[in-house]
Amino acid sequence: MGALSITGIKPGSTSLKLTAGKITKTVPITVLSRNLLSYGPAEGNGLTATVNTDGSLHVTGAAARQWAGLVWTFPCPVQGTVILRDPTFIAGLSTSVKFLDAKGHQLDGQVTSGGNAVAIPAGTVSLRFEILSSEATPTAKDGDLRVQLESGDTAHDWMKPDNTSLKGGV
């Protein structure tokens, strides 16, 4: 028997039609984004995030206090090692992803942008993506963020996440 290898070029859905003699099978194929984050519009703690047409986040406002901001919680799509990077950033805001257990409690460790790859702890079922003010006295912000969480220990070019309609908040 031979093997067939398919490499996706861009996210989306299609199908593959296979024929062997008189037998034909159609197999659905979905190519997902390398960006594992899920986010969408959010408002709270003095900050507002909207989603730009390219899938990046536009953040405005001034956080209510240091280490306050916006959060999105979503199911953990992978196990293993992940890396977080933000090729575009807004000075005074920090991005991170925290690991949560089945009860929503934070597990040890987090992955921060610009940091090293981190192993997802055993028992992780959800991730919490956070955009927080790192300023002791938060100042007004108005800019775009392109943040990417991906499997492995190598950061690649930013791409839009598959889910940019997840409601966020505080």
Side-chain angles (χ1 to χ4, degrees), residues 28-110:
I29 297 175
T30 301
V31 177
L32 300 175
S33 172
R34 181 174 34 252
N35 193 341
L36 303 173
L37 291 176
S38 290
Y39 54 67
E43 188 172 348
N45 285 318
L47 294 175
T48 299
T50 56
V51 180
N52 294 318
T53 55
D54 70 353
S56 62
L57 284 170
H58 185 77
V59 180
T60 58
R65 65 187 183 291
Q66 187 175 28
W67 306 122
L70 302 170
V71 300
W72 295 262
T73 301
F74 54 94
C76 183
V78 298
Q79 294 299 314
T81 302
V82 291
I83 190 167
L84 182 72
R85 69 190 238 12
D86 52 0
T88 63
F89 63 94
I90 300 171
L93 295 180
S94 75
T95 58
S96 65
V97 173
K98 298 201 168 97
F99 309 112
L100 308 177
D101 67 15
K103 293 183 178 180
H105 298 130
Q106 185 176 331
L107 298 167
D108 287 338
Q110 69 177 347

Side-chain angles (χ1 to χ4, degrees), residues 7 18 20 24 32 35 37 47 59 76 82 87 90 108 128-129 137 139 142 150 154 159 169:
T7 302
L18 302 170
T24 299
L32 300 175
N35 193 341
L37 291 176
L47 294 175
V59 180
C76 183
V82 291
I90 300 171
D108 287 338
R128 186 172 63 224
F129 172 46
T137 304
T139 59
D142 185 1
E150 58 185 297
T154 303
M159 67 186 336

